[in-house]
Amino acid sequence: MGNKNITIGLFGFGCVGQGLYDVLNHSQGLKATIEKICVKDKNKKRKIDATFFTYDREEILKRDNLNVIVELIDNADEAFSIVKDAMNNGVSVVTANKKMLAENFKELYELQEKNNVALIYEGSAGGSIPIIRNLEEYYDNELLSSVKGILNGTCNYILTRMELENKDYGDVLKDAQLNGFAESDPWLDVAGFDTKFKTLLLTVHAFGIVLTPDDIFNTGIQNVSYDDILYAKQRGLRIKMLGVSQKVGDKFRAYSIPHFVDRESELFNVLYEYNAVEVEGAFSCKQTFVGKGAGSHPTGSAVLSDISALTYDYKYAYKKLKKALSGNNKIEDGIKQIEYDFPIKLYIRFQNREELKDLEILSIEEEYKSTNTNYIIANVNFNSLFNIFNKRENKLFICAI
Ligand SMILES: NC(=O)c1ccc[n+]([C@@H]2O[C@H](COP(=O)([O-])OP(=O)(O)OC[C@H]3O[C@@H](n4cnc5c(N)ncnc54)[C@H](OP(=O)(O)O)[C@@H]3O)[C@@H](O)[C@H]2O)c1
């Protein structure tokens, strides 16, 4: 494309799509114009001229004057179909859709290779935090040992308000929904799925390992209670929902679990809807990136940065992944590098012991029972966590120590 005018076909004009529109209108120096916008609801009032809009995806996909498709819709399956068609037409794509990327990563990677087009997605993990390109480019030769972070603004917002306002989960969630900080169905956010999709993407760019969402264990704050917040508070700790991807020996671990963090951690003071990513390398040591993890303009600015990168023909080089794929290795072999059989120390709050029966508890360090609350501090075989989670009916709250 080579630093020239670019013409954009945009899918979606919701929170992020409108954010991109505003940010683009205020940008200086970037020669990019939105030519057409495809949306869904014909009856919705739009804040810009009606001639911008179409309801027919083909009207964008079949145009031959577009340099880039920007996909910002809220449906992962439809997004995948749009992105696939665009790439097969030889057009580069910018997206922020972590669910779509995580669920289809292998195929999307192969489509980039086959069609020699770019698919870039800085806004998909950490919102405005420039983490993906940094992992890919800046840390391309660094021996990284860990990437972990607060990757979901909704969880962090709820946990912060519960602690600072001494409130229950249900009350804060309701308020967060009213104020636009949580979806009407918050399950993907609060149960740790969103954090895990982002962890999957960070794992690709940090370590060159491609996983599927089912390979990464997740649980979230869906069952957190004020008792748990109080437990942390009394010990000078805070609960943070973390995505973790780390190298331990010659194996890797990846999961999405609430953690207690102490004051020494840079993550301790990351509050409300802010996100943070902590990158640890053998020589660079620990570095923390903090910023708004979601929202119209912050995410729009990450999308704009991707569009700008396309003006100089930027593509992810996938250096670490390509290295891992040398020889006869296949993408699906990445899972062989992941370790599941290890002890993890957890705070587990439960109602009755029956709920713990499928967990392989290796040792119990502390046990507390009262009329309101029962918890144990225990070392558990990580693998056995898969037996009990991802189900809405489960009422356990666990937090890594
Ligand atoms: N919100 C954030 O802060 C944030 C942050 C990071 C990443 N993201 C990601 O960015 C993407 C967009 O999120 P959002 O919050 O902007 O969503 P949103 O506010 O719900 O807006 C979704 C937009 O997609 C349009 N749409 C839905 N299905 C469509 C289809 N089949 N064809 C064309 N348009 C369609 C909707 O059309 P109508 O206007 O006609 O309803 C709407 O304009 C998602 O993948 C999300 O995960 C969001």
Side-chain angles (χ1 to χ4, degrees):
M1 237 175 263
N3 198 17
K4 57 173 190 187
N5 257 338
I6 62 169
T7 320
I8 299 166
L10 174 62
F11 282 86
F13 199 64
C15 176
V16 185
Q18 292 183 43
L20 169 67
Y21 181 85
D22 293 344
V23 175
L24 185 58
N25 279 339
H26 285 91
S27 93
Q28 289 170 350
L30 178 64
K31 290 182 261 164
T33 20
I34 297 177
E35 170 110 354
K36 204 82 195 163
I37 306 172
C38 180
V39 284
K40 199 171 181 179
D41 183 350
K42 291 188 176 158
N43 299 317
K44 224 183 232 181
K45 267 210 148 94
R46 308 289 169 183
K47 68 173 194 187
I48 58 171
D49 200 274
T51 54
F52 269 109
F53 295 97
T54 176
Y55 304 92
D56 173 10
R57 53 180 257 160
E58 299 308 318
E59 221 198 291
I60 290 187
L61 291 171
K62 292 231 164 86
R63 269 176 191 247
D64 53 16
N65 65 331
L66 301 177
N67 313 106
V68 52
I69 298 287
V70 178
E71 181 286 299
L72 298 171
I73 73 169
D74 55 344
N75 177 312
D77 295 334
E78 287 168 21
F80 181 47
S81 156
I82 291 164
V83 170
K84 232 180 353 185
D85 286 357
M87 289 166 85
N88 280 328
N89 290 344
V91 182
S92 291
V93 176
V94 173
T95 178
N97 199 323
K98 54 269 171 166
K99 185 169 189 283
M100 184 265 304
L101 289 160
E103 286 175 344
N104 304 286
F105 198 86
K106 175 177 178 286
E107 198 170 340
L108 289 168
Y109 171 73
E110 288 168 351
L111 280 169
Q112 291 172 72
E113 295 294 292
K114 183 181 123 206
N115 295 304
N116 193 24
V117 290
L119 171 66
I120 50 178
Y121 39 83
E122 191 61 70
S124 63
S128 69
I129 301 174
I131 187 62
I132 295 181
R133 250 184 281 159
N134 267 318
L135 289 174
E136 187 61 43
E137 305 298 328
Y138 182 84
Y139 297 103
D140 60 345
N141 292 305
E142 168 80 39
L143 299 171
L144 292 181
S145 53
S146 156
V147 178
K148 68 176 175 194
I150 298 169
L151 300 171
N152 183 275
T154 304
C155 288
N156 208 39
Y157 178 87
I158 293 173
L159 290 168
T160 302
R161 287 199 50 195
M162 284 178 74
E163 183 200 329
L164 300 184
E165 298 171 25
N166 302 327
K167 281 193 169 149
D168 273 329
Y169 173 74
D171 294 339
V172 178
L173 174 62
K174 227 180 273 163
D175 219 36
Q177 285 167 322
L178 285 175
N179 293 319
F181 285 103
E183 303 281 344
S184 49
D185 179 0
W187 179 249
L188 287 183
D189 287 321
V190 298
F193 288 90
D194 179 77
T195 298
K196 123 162 140 177
F197 298 146
K198 293 163 176 169
T199 304
L200 185 151
L201 297 173
L202 298 183
T203 305
V204 174
H205 293 279
F207 299 119
I209 298 174
V210 174
L211 300 170
T212 68
D214 285 347
D215 299 332
I216 301 178
F217 171 75
N218 66 289
T219 185
I221 62 161
Q222 68 274 28
N223 297 327
V224 71
S225 77
Y226 186 69
D227 289 334
D228 308 315
I229 301 283
L230 203 59
Y231 174 94
K233 221 174 181 176
Q234 285 164 348
R235 289 157 181 80
L237 306 168
R238 277 190 173 139
I239 299 174
K240 295 288 175 193
M241 178 67 215
L242 299 187
V244 176
S245 181
Q246 61 184 184
K247 189 167 194 283
V248 181
D250 57 358
K251 287 281 187 187
F252 295 85
R253 298 173 181 176
Y255 46 82
S256 156
I257 300 181
H259 282 62
F260 292 121
V261 300
D262 62 24
R263 268 170 210 285
E264 302 300 306
S265 165
E266 299 268 7
L267 303 178
F268 187 85
N269 284 318
V270 177
L271 301 175
Y272 296 102
E273 73 273 29
Y274 278 82
N275 278 199
V277 185
E278 193 180 273
V279 180
E280 209 170 337
F283 303 110
S284 57
C285 302
K286 225 179 243 181
Q287 292 171 315
T288 308
F289 301 72
V290 182
K292 287 214 168 157
S296 184
H297 288 155
T299 314
S301 80
V303 174
L304 185 77
S305 174
D306 277 349
I307 295 170
S308 169
L310 287 179
T311 64
Y312 52 87
D313 289 330
Y314 181 79
K315 286 173 78 177
Y316 296 133
Y318 292 109
K319 284 188 208 155
K320 296 163 205 173
L321 176 57
K322 289 209 164 117
K323 192 162 167 234
L325 293 178
S326 58
N328 283 331
N329 293 336
K330 297 198 217 59
I331 279 201
E332 41 286 37
D333 292 336
I335 182 75
K336 292 184 191 158
Q337 299 196 65
I338 304 292
E339 164 176 70
Y340 291 103
D341 205 10
F342 62 89
I344 182 166
K345 189 166 165 179
L346 300 172
Y347 161 96
I348 308 174
R349 187 178 42 72
F350 56 96
Q351 277 161 7
N352 59 64
R353 268 199 164 262
E354 185 61 10
E355 292 171 289
L356 306 179
K357 73 177 183 346
D358 294 323
L359 278 180
E360 191 185 330
I361 295 174
L362 305 169
S363 62
I364 294 181
E365 293 189 5
E366 196 185 320
E367 183 153 11
Y368 178 84
K369 276 187 201 158
S370 78
T371 40
N372 299 329
T373 292
N374 306 313
Y375 70 78
I376 53 171
I377 307 291
N379 291 296
V380 172
N381 183 344
F382 177 80
N383 213 1
S384 69
L385 291 175
F386 282 94
N387 298 338
I388 56 161
F389 278 102
N390 297 340
K391 298 182 188 114
R392 287 194 193 227
E393 60 274 18
N394 196 300
K395 291 289 167 250
L396 294 179
F397 175 70
I398 72 164
C399 193
I401 297 176

